[in-house]
Amino acid sequence: MPEDVEMNDSQAAPAAVSDAPAPAQPTLHHLKEIASVIEAGSLSKEVRRISRAVRLTIALRRRLAARDVAAFLAFALPPSSEAFARLSALVPKEDGSEMDVDTAAPTAQVSIKHGLPEIEIYCYLLVLIFLIDNKKYDEAKTCASASIARLKSLNRRTVDVLASRLYSYYSYVHELTNTLAEIRGTLLPLHRMATLHHDELGQETLLNLLLRNYLHYNLYDQAEKLRSKAPRFEAHSNQQFCRYLFYLGKIRTIQLEYTDAKESLLQAARKAPTTARGFRIQCNKWAIIVRLLLGEIPERTVFMQKGMKAALTPYFELTNAVRVGDLELFRSVADKFSSTFSADRTRNLIVRLRHNVIRTGLRNISISYSRISLADIAKKLRLDSENPVADAESIVAKAIRDGAIDATIDHTNGCMVSKETGDVYSTNEPQIAFNSRIAFCLNMHNEAVKALRFPPNSHKEKESAEKRRERLQQEEELAKHMAEEDDDDF
């Protein structure tokens, strides 16, 4: 009996140990795994492994501590290298805290080959992300400048993914310190270098950074000149392509090309990932303004999207004022949310909407009244000029000339006479509306087909006559053999 009790206790102990949760791996262990992925990608020249390492780093960035970064630099870089000395000086020292020692790491992960450019560039990227997250912007600018100087001497396709991220953070840290104008002279040679090296990912990243740089200072003409003369290539990153469409939409809006701007902005909002909420909000804000400038009224569902309702409230009230055609309500909304519109850089566009508000109000008046005096029109539109009747007459004349309303002006009696509204289905408007919808669906289908990834076509090769003859012969022999086995069974 005592032996049975002891045996049961000894069996229960391992079970209790196995039920306990496994301890979380330290951050340093994950960084070493990422370094091994980069090493494997560098040696096999597989860019997708480098991309995977970058994604793992972004997921790990919130757990980064100074001791982890310092320990990884000591692990990945030779102690006598210039990069180790420069980066170690930028990482703050933590007193009284011991670095994580990863004793469980397999020996394969410790065999990182010193001198790999990918590992060195990754260390620059890791330190730069850590400094930006800790708001040490001066040290981050120093690190970014050193990394850019190092990248200029490299021409390896496996470095391109890391370089594109470094370019983005290089511009971002200067944007945080309001010194974007200083790096424009650096970004232009980098874009030229990426073009010469056929680094298409670097090209689209740097092109977007330059467009953002120009638009930050309202240099729309220079941005359009750069965009129109930049080399054309197939987009490699969906995020960069969405940014390009957004910047293109802003340029087209300022240039009064509202139709193209609307298409670019809506496409950017549709292609953007659901997690990029801030970007999608900005796309929707500009798209709403462009649609209003085109005379369209956005649907209510645009303003009720998940996570965007509060941010789009000013634009919802603005849309309501334009829809009603109330000039006084439009002024009050513009004044109420002037700070929001200024922060979004849409205030100048909203000033353009005044004419659309007046035209919408005039269209409502022409539908409601068959005959109305110009003085009453000026009163209903709430024109606050010195001679409102003359202004009302010029507004009505321009609306008639542009085809916004179907009416005539009786100059003798000083009134507007509206014509009877005809049947819209007797015109070509329904055909035009259906044609635009069909074209939109076809374009979306074509883009979806282009975005598909197909397997290699090696398995689709046509078999020769000899191979086909051999295959049929084998099938006949197999069928005969199975028939003989069935006869034996009987």
Side-chain angles (χ1 to χ4, degrees):
M1 289 295 293
E3 292 180 359
D4 293 340
V5 173
E6 290 176 3
M7 183 179 63
N8 293 337
D9 291 343
S10 62
Q11 290 177 352
V17 172
S18 62
D19 292 340
Q25 295 288 354
T27 305
L28 181 59
H29 174 76
H30 293 293
L31 290 175
K32 290 181 179 180
E33 288 182 342
I34 294 172
S36 65
V37 172
I38 294 176
E39 181 188 16
S42 174
L43 297 178
S44 61
K45 297 183 179 180
E46 295 185 38
V47 180
R48 61 182 182 85
R49 292 179 180 268
I50 311 296
S51 302
R52 179 170 175 265
V54 173
R55 291 194 299 269
L56 292 173
T57 305
I58 299 302
L60 196 67
R61 64 186 299 177
R62 292 187 178 182
R63 296 167 49 188
L64 287 177
R67 62 178 182 275
D68 300 323
V69 177
F72 179 74
L73 293 178
F75 163 78
L77 296 175
S80 59
S81 64
E82 182 182 356
F84 176 77
R86 182 184 293 115
L87 294 177
S88 299
L90 295 174
V91 178
K93 304 295 186 297
E94 291 188 359
D95 298 333
S97 61
E98 297 180 357
M99 292 186 298
D100 290 341
V101 179
D102 187 12
T103 57
T107 56
Q109 295 180 5
V110 185
S111 62
I112 296 295
K113 291 187 177 180
H114 293 307
L116 284 178
E118 289 81 5
I119 296 293
E120 180 183 349
I121 297 301
Y122 176 74
C123 290
Y124 276 107
L125 177 63
L126 183 68
V127 173
L128 182 57
I129 292 174
F130 172 75
L131 293 174
I132 292 176
D133 290 343
N134 287 270
K135 299 182 179 180
K136 299 182 180 297
Y137 299 135
D138 293 335
E139 293 85 349
K141 289 169 68 174
T142 303
C143 178
S145 301
S147 65
I148 295 299
R150 180 69 179 92
L151 283 172
K152 291 180 179 179
S153 60
L154 297 175
N155 183 15
R156 295 164 67 100
R157 298 287 71 81
T158 49
V159 179
D160 293 345
V161 177
L162 300 171
S164 64
R165 288 294 179 131
L166 279 173
Y167 297 149
S168 300
Y169 286 116
Y170 174 65
S171 177
Y172 179 60
V173 71
H174 282 83
E175 184 176 355
L176 291 174
T177 55
N178 198 22
T179 56
L180 270 179
E182 298 178 1
I183 65 170
R184 197 179 303 152
T186 304
L187 294 178
L188 287 169
L190 286 174
H191 182 265
R192 182 170 62 250
M193 182 184 71
T195 304
L196 295 175
H197 290 172
H198 301 285
D199 176 12
E200 295 186 351
L201 180 59
Q203 288 182 59
E204 60 183 355
T205 302
L206 289 165
L207 177 60
N208 285 334
L209 293 177
L210 284 165
L211 292 177
R212 184 180 182 87
N213 197 310
Y214 285 127
L215 297 183
H216 181 78
Y217 295 100
N218 297 324
L219 302 174
Y220 288 92
D221 291 338
Q222 296 185 24
E224 172 58 21
K225 289 179 181 178
L226 173 67
R227 188 208 63 80
S228 61
K229 295 180 180 179
R232 305 290 182 185
F233 50 84
E234 185 180 355
H236 288 263
S237 171
N238 181 61
Q239 290 83 354
Q240 296 297 335
F241 185 54
C242 290
R243 291 189 182 101
Y244 174 78
L245 290 174
F246 176 60
Y247 298 144
L248 178 60
K250 293 177 73 173
I251 294 172
R252 291 286 183 259
T253 303
I254 298 299
Q255 294 178 338
L256 306 180
E257 299 177 9
Y258 297 135
T259 304
D260 295 340
K262 172 191 168 185
E263 183 180 352
S264 298
L265 292 169
L266 291 180
Q267 190 177 3
R270 188 173 65 251
K271 284 180 173 290
T274 55
T275 54
R277 184 180 301 173
F279 178 80
R280 291 171 61 227
I281 287 174
Q282 288 296 321
C283 290
N284 279 283
K285 287 178 178 180
W286 279 76
I288 289 168
I289 296 295
V290 170
R291 293 183 67 180
L292 291 175
L293 289 168
L294 283 170
E296 303 175 5
I297 302 298
E299 300 81 5
R300 184 179 288 268
T301 54
V302 174
F303 304 95
M304 300 301 169
Q305 298 181 61
K306 185 178 179 181
M308 301 186 189
K309 185 176 180 180
L312 296 180
T313 298
Y315 294 87
F316 176 73
E317 296 190 16
L318 185 70
T319 302
N320 186 49
V322 175
R323 181 183 61 84
V324 175
D326 191 341
L327 195 58
E328 188 64 29
L329 179 61
F330 173 77
R331 291 197 195 99
S332 63
V333 171
D335 294 338
K336 179 181 178 181
F337 299 104
S338 60
S339 59
T340 303
F341 296 144
S342 298
D344 295 337
R345 297 195 172 191
T346 56
R347 188 170 179 81
N348 292 335
L349 299 176
I350 291 171
V351 173
R352 300 182 189 178
L353 282 175
R354 182 179 180 274
H355 179 68
N356 294 62
V357 176
I358 294 174
R359 178 174 291 188
T360 304
L362 186 60
R363 189 183 300 115
N364 295 335
I365 292 172
S366 67
I367 294 173
S368 302
Y369 297 91
S370 61
R371 188 182 187 90
I372 185 173
S373 65
L374 296 176
D376 290 339
I377 291 176
K379 185 177 180 181
K380 287 184 176 293
L381 293 179
R382 300 183 184 182
L383 301 177
D384 54 356
S385 58
E386 296 179 357
N387 192 354
V389 177
D391 289 346
E393 184 176 0
S394 63
I395 290 171
V396 171
K398 189 175 187 304
I400 294 173
R401 186 195 66 183
D402 295 341
I405 59 175
D406 192 6
T408 58
I409 299 178
D410 187 354
H411 296 281
T412 305
N413 299 320
C415 61
M416 180 185 72
V417 180
S418 301
K419 297 180 180 179
E420 293 185 3
T421 305
D423 185 12
V424 69
Y425 290 100
S426 63
T427 64
N428 292 332
E429 289 189 12
Q431 180 183 358
I432 295 172
F434 280 121
N435 182 56
S436 63
R437 295 179 183 180
I438 293 170
F440 172 78
C441 293
L442 290 175
N443 289 335
M444 187 164 58
H445 173 265
N446 293 335
E447 291 176 4
V449 171
K450 290 179 181 178
L452 291 175
R453 294 184 178 180
F454 298 97
N457 295 327
S458 58
H459 65 284
K460 296 183 180 180
E461 295 179 357
K462 294 183 179 180
E463 59 180 354
S464 61
E466 184 179 354
K467 290 183 178 179
R468 184 172 180 273
R469 196 181 306 112
E470 292 179 358
R471 180 174 58 81
L472 292 176
Q473 185 178 359
Q474 291 176 0
E475 291 178 356
E476 290 177 0
E477 292 178 354
L478 179 61
K480 185 186 295 185
H481 181 69
M482 293 176 65
E484 292 175 355
E485 288 183 351
D486 292 340
D487 293 340
D488 293 341
D489 292 340
F490 282 116

